[in-house]
Amino acid sequence: KTGYHQQTGTQQEEGLLYVYDLDSNRYDVIKIGEHYWMKENLRTTQYNDTTFIPTGPGLDWPKIKHGAYAIYDDNPAYAKKYGFLYNGCAAASGKLCPKGWHVATDTDWRELEKFYGMPEGELERTGERGDIAGKLKTTGDWKPSAFTGNNSSDFSILPAGARLDNGEYTTPNQYGNFWTSTVYDDRYGLLYLWNHHVNYNTNAVGRIYTVAQNGYSCRCVKDKPKSVKTIDVKSF
């Protein structure tokens, strides 16, 4: 009976099992703790207000001060599997994910890491932390090492690489880099955001801040419903 009820509950939450962006890309969804996450990297060409996000070889990537995206190595073959590499301005825009969703915050990532076993004392550290990355990484696609992923979480991080702030593409099959929408610093004309990442040669999960001109993957998280304040009529 327990299994039956669980299945029924999932069916009742059917709208949360997948979500579409404005390009009609469908993303599978997974519940992790109290949050619903996309299981795939975002690959939308539009903000959720229907504005198209700049892209293409004509962009001077290192000098961009607005949102933009790129496909790794400018090769369309990478797009569906690995998603797009967005710069930090796009990640922090508040409009990148489908309406009702947001680019995962630094807090969202730390709650995910805690859920999968990262010690509480390591969550807010900067640098490489914990040993849970094997649970998050896919079993294939990664450069061979002693730290093979088993994807027991079903979160399915792929080694999508990155685009550096100088425009260079780097670390295919080695790194999965993810922007958060959490600003670390925004002074002197430079925007820095928190980033979480995993790589092929360790089971640690990195947490650092980097300048917004970098291009990383993004995962979206469903917004939590806003709590409704109730009024105690007896108090009147």
Side-chain angles (χ1 to χ4, degrees):
K1 287 186 176 179
T2 302
Y4 173 79
H5 288 303
Q6 287 176 340
Q7 185 178 7
T8 303
T10 301
Q11 290 172 345
Q12 288 172 350
E13 298 281 353
E14 187 175 356
L16 295 175
L17 294 180
Y18 53 86
V19 63
Y20 290 91
D21 64 26
L22 289 180
D23 295 336
S24 297
N25 295 313
R26 172 176 162 159
Y27 303 89
D28 288 338
V29 171
I30 183 173
K31 188 176 185 185
I32 300 172
E34 298 301 313
H35 298 282
Y36 289 93
W37 288 73
M38 284 184 179
K39 285 173 59 174
E40 305 164 60
N41 296 345
L42 193 65
R43 56 183 190 278
T44 184
T45 64
Q46 305 176 60
Y47 291 118
N48 62 27
D49 64 0
T50 72
T51 304
F52 281 95
I53 306 166
T55 191
L59 290 177
D60 189 353
W61 187 269
K63 296 182 180 178
I64 297 172
K65 297 289 187 180
H66 55 73
Y69 76 88
I71 299 171
Y72 190 91
D73 220 15
D74 301 312
N75 184 346
Y78 286 105
K80 188 175 190 318
K81 183 172 186 177
Y82 293 110
F84 296 164
L85 300 173
Y86 296 92
N87 69 6
C89 296
S93 67
K95 303 184 297 179
L96 188 58
C97 294
K99 287 190 175 178
W101 293 70
H102 61 271
V103 173
T105 64
D106 182 50
T107 299
D108 291 335
W109 274 98
R110 285 187 279 117
E111 289 182 2
L112 177 148
E113 292 159 354
K114 181 179 178 181
F115 183 84
Y116 288 117
M118 185 176 291
E120 183 96 34
E122 297 194 41
L123 293 170
E124 295 192 26
R125 279 183 44 216
T126 302
E128 305 295 300
R129 309 122 63 241
D131 63 353
I132 66 165
K135 301 177 184 179
L136 308 177
K137 294 186 283 189
T138 56
T139 56
D141 300 292
W142 293 85
K143 183 177 178 179
S145 82
F147 299 93
T148 305
N150 60 33
N151 199 28
S152 61
S153 66
D154 203 25
F155 191 60
S156 304
I157 293 181
L158 289 160
R163 191 171 193 183
L164 300 180
D165 56 355
N166 64 5
E168 175 188 349
Y169 293 102
T170 184
T171 60
N173 304 111
Q174 298 180 47
Y175 271 81
N177 292 280
F178 296 90
W179 280 124
T180 79
S181 52
T182 303
V183 174
Y184 171 78
D185 198 4
D186 185 13
R187 291 180 294 175
Y188 315 116
L190 292 174
L191 172 66
Y192 288 82
L193 302 176
W194 285 104
N195 152 285
H196 289 242
H197 59 268
V198 300
N199 79 68
Y200 76 101
N201 206 26
T202 177
N203 275 338
V205 180
R207 175 181 180 259
I208 59 173
Y209 50 87
T210 50
V211 69
Q213 276 72 21
N214 286 291
Y216 299 140
S217 305
C218 289
R219 291 284 183 105
C220 300
V221 174
K222 194 177 190 313
D223 299 343
K224 282 189 172 181
K226 293 181 179 177
S227 58
V228 179
K229 292 183 178 179
T230 57
I231 300 174
D232 185 357
V233 293
K234 295 180 180 178
S235 61
F236 286 89

